[in-house]
mmCIF file of all heavy atoms in Angstrom:
data_model
loop_
_atom_site.group_PDB
_atom_site.id
_atom_site.type_symbol
_atom_site.label_atom_id
_atom_site.label_comp_id
_atom_site.label_asym_id
_atom_site.label_seq_id
_atom_site.Cartn_x
_atom_site.Cartn_y
_atom_site.Cartn_z
ATOM 1 N N PHE A 109 -215.597 -85.685 -32.348
ATOM 2 C CA PHE A 109 -215.617 -85.228 -30.952
ATOM 3 C C PHE A 109 -216.980 -84.674 -30.550
ATOM 4 O O PHE A 109 -217.256 -84.498 -29.367
ATOM 5 C CB PHE A 109 -214.495 -84.205 -30.712
ATOM 6 C CG PHE A 109 -214.951 -82.783 -30.696
ATOM 7 C CD1 PHE A 109 -215.310 -82.175 -29.500
ATOM 8 C CD2 PHE A 109 -215.051 -82.039 -31.853
ATOM 9 C CE1 PHE A 109 -215.743 -80.866 -29.467
ATOM 10 C CE2 PHE A 109 -215.495 -80.732 -31.832
ATOM 11 C CZ PHE A 109 -215.838 -80.143 -30.632
ATOM 12 N N LYS A 110 -217.869 -84.441 -31.538
ATOM 13 C CA LYS A 110 -219.201 -83.929 -31.217
ATOM 14 C C LYS A 110 -220.010 -84.899 -30.344
ATOM 15 O O LYS A 110 -220.961 -84.496 -29.694
ATOM 16 C CB LYS A 110 -219.979 -83.610 -32.490
ATOM 17 C CG LYS A 110 -219.447 -82.432 -33.282
ATOM 18 C CD LYS A 110 -219.518 -81.122 -32.503
ATOM 19 C CE LYS A 110 -219.375 -79.889 -33.387
ATOM 20 N NZ LYS A 110 -218.126 -79.840 -34.183
ATOM 21 N N ASN A 136 -220.947 -82.741 -38.412
ATOM 22 C CA ASN A 136 -220.723 -83.733 -37.366
ATOM 23 C C ASN A 136 -221.732 -83.659 -36.227
ATOM 24 O O ASN A 136 -222.137 -84.684 -35.682
ATOM 25 C CB ASN A 136 -219.310 -83.590 -36.809
ATOM 26 C CG ASN A 136 -218.267 -84.098 -37.779
ATOM 27 O OD1 ASN A 136 -218.460 -85.135 -38.410
ATOM 28 N ND2 ASN A 136 -217.181 -83.363 -37.935
ATOM 29 N N PRO A 235 -208.193 -77.431 -33.602
ATOM 30 C CA PRO A 235 -208.913 -76.836 -34.734
ATOM 31 C C PRO A 235 -210.092 -76.002 -34.226
ATOM 32 O O PRO A 235 -210.726 -76.369 -33.244
ATOM 33 C CB PRO A 235 -209.402 -78.056 -35.513
ATOM 34 C CG PRO A 235 -209.552 -79.138 -34.492
ATOM 35 C CD PRO A 235 -208.483 -78.870 -33.456
ATOM 36 N N CYS A 236 -210.370 -74.896 -34.895
ATOM 37 C CA CYS A 236 -211.445 -74.007 -34.439
ATOM 38 C C CYS A 236 -212.523 -73.814 -35.489
ATOM 39 O O CYS A 236 -212.214 -73.490 -36.642
ATOM 40 C CB CYS A 236 -210.892 -72.624 -34.106
ATOM 41 S SG CYS A 236 -209.827 -72.602 -32.671
ATOM 42 N N ALA A 237 -213.764 -73.984 -35.068
ATOM 43 C CA ALA A 237 -214.918 -73.552 -35.861
ATOM 44 C C ALA A 237 -215.501 -72.351 -35.120
ATOM 45 O O ALA A 237 -215.156 -71.208 -35.404
ATOM 46 C CB ALA A 237 -215.909 -74.694 -36.010
ATOM 47 N N SER A 238 -216.349 -72.616 -34.095
ATOM 48 C CA SER A 238 -216.851 -71.501 -33.268
ATOM 49 C C SER A 238 -215.811 -71.068 -32.242
ATOM 50 O O SER A 238 -215.944 -70.029 -31.612
ATOM 51 C CB SER A 238 -218.126 -71.921 -32.542
ATOM 52 O OG SER A 238 -217.818 -72.839 -31.500
ATOM 53 N N GLY A 239 -214.790 -71.927 -32.027
ATOM 54 C CA GLY A 239 -213.767 -71.648 -31.016
ATOM 55 C C GLY A 239 -214.076 -72.271 -29.670
ATOM 56 O O GLY A 239 -213.285 -72.180 -28.733
ATOM 57 N N SER A 240 -215.231 -72.923 -29.568
ATOM 58 C CA SER A 240 -215.661 -73.468 -28.278
ATOM 59 C C SER A 240 -214.721 -74.557 -27.758
ATOM 60 O O SER A 240 -214.304 -74.523 -26.603
ATOM 61 C CB SER A 240 -217.085 -74.005 -28.403
ATOM 62 O OG SER A 240 -217.479 -74.615 -27.207
ATOM 63 N N LEU A 241 -214.381 -75.523 -28.621
ATOM 64 C CA LEU A 241 -213.507 -76.617 -28.182
ATOM 65 C C LEU A 241 -212.209 -76.076 -27.582
ATOM 66 O O LEU A 241 -211.756 -76.523 -26.524
ATOM 67 C CB LEU A 241 -213.206 -77.552 -29.367
ATOM 68 C CG LEU A 241 -212.186 -78.667 -29.101
ATOM 69 C CD1 LEU A 241 -212.678 -79.639 -28.042
ATOM 70 C CD2 LEU A 241 -211.864 -79.434 -30.393
ATOM 71 N N SER A 298 -216.543 -78.717 -41.927
ATOM 72 C CA SER A 298 -216.936 -78.846 -40.519
ATOM 73 C C SER A 298 -216.402 -77.680 -39.685
ATOM 74 O O SER A 298 -216.869 -77.435 -38.582
ATOM 75 C CB SER A 298 -216.463 -80.178 -39.942
ATOM 76 O OG SER A 298 -215.057 -80.288 -40.047
ATOM 77 N N LEU A 299 -215.417 -76.957 -40.221
ATOM 78 C CA LEU A 299 -214.879 -75.796 -39.480
ATOM 79 C C LEU A 299 -215.371 -74.471 -40.060
ATOM 80 O O LEU A 299 -214.918 -73.404 -39.650
ATOM 81 C CB LEU A 299 -213.341 -75.816 -39.527
ATOM 82 C CG LEU A 299 -212.647 -77.048 -38.944
ATOM 83 C CD1 LEU A 299 -211.134 -76.902 -39.047
ATOM 84 C CD2 LEU A 299 -213.052 -77.274 -37.490
ATOM 85 N N GLU A 345 -210.682 -86.556 -41.004
ATOM 86 C CA GLU A 345 -211.414 -85.729 -41.972
ATOM 87 C C GLU A 345 -210.633 -84.434 -42.230
ATOM 88 O O GLU A 345 -209.553 -84.216 -41.658
ATOM 89 C CB GLU A 345 -212.822 -85.444 -41.479
ATOM 90 C CG GLU A 345 -212.912 -84.525 -40.281
ATOM 91 C CD GLU A 345 -214.277 -83.846 -40.199
ATOM 92 O OE1 GLU A 345 -215.243 -84.470 -39.708
ATOM 93 O OE2 GLU A 345 -214.364 -82.681 -40.625
ATOM 94 N N ALA A 347 -210.865 -81.493 -41.211
ATOM 95 C CA ALA A 347 -210.477 -80.718 -40.022
ATOM 96 C C ALA A 347 -209.150 -81.223 -39.450
ATOM 97 O O ALA A 347 -208.336 -80.432 -38.950
ATOM 98 C CB ALA A 347 -211.575 -80.786 -38.959
ATOM 99 N N THR A 375 -210.198 -84.417 -34.681
ATOM 100 C CA THR A 375 -211.557 -84.326 -34.158
ATOM 101 C C THR A 375 -212.619 -85.096 -34.929
ATOM 102 O O THR A 375 -213.754 -85.213 -34.466
ATOM 103 C CB THR A 375 -211.970 -82.845 -34.091
ATOM 104 O OG1 THR A 375 -211.598 -82.219 -35.328
ATOM 105 C CG2 THR A 375 -211.280 -82.135 -32.947
ATOM 106 N N GLY A 376 -212.283 -85.609 -36.137
ATOM 107 C CA GLY A 376 -213.314 -86.331 -36.896
ATOM 108 C C GLY A 376 -212.704 -87.306 -37.885
ATOM 109 O O GLY A 376 -211.541 -87.179 -38.279
HETATM 110 C C1 PLP B 1 -217.249 -78.916 -34.540
HETATM 111 C C2 PLP B 1 -215.909 -79.354 -34.912
HETATM 112 C C3 PLP B 1 -214.736 -78.737 -34.435
HETATM 113 C C4 PLP B 1 -214.628 -77.500 -33.561
HETATM 114 O O1 PLP B 1 -215.757 -76.894 -33.202
HETATM 115 P P1 PLP B 1 -215.835 -75.618 -32.242
HETATM 116 O O2 PLP B 1 -217.093 -74.964 -32.718
HETATM 117 O O3 PLP B 1 -214.639 -74.764 -32.465
HETATM 118 O O4 PLP B 1 -215.946 -76.133 -30.867
HETATM 119 C C5 PLP B 1 -213.528 -79.304 -34.783
HETATM 120 N N1 PLP B 1 -213.452 -80.371 -35.584
HETATM 121 C C6 PLP B 1 -214.549 -80.994 -36.059
HETATM 122 C C7 PLP B 1 -214.362 -82.188 -36.935
HETATM 123 C C8 PLP B 1 -215.818 -80.515 -35.743
HETATM 124 O O5 PLP B 1 -216.893 -81.152 -36.231
#
Side-chain angles (χ1 to χ4, degrees):
F109 101 92
K110 292 297 197 303
N136 287 319
C236 292
S238 72
S240 176
L241 174 63
S298 59
L299 301 181
E345 69 157 81
T375 46

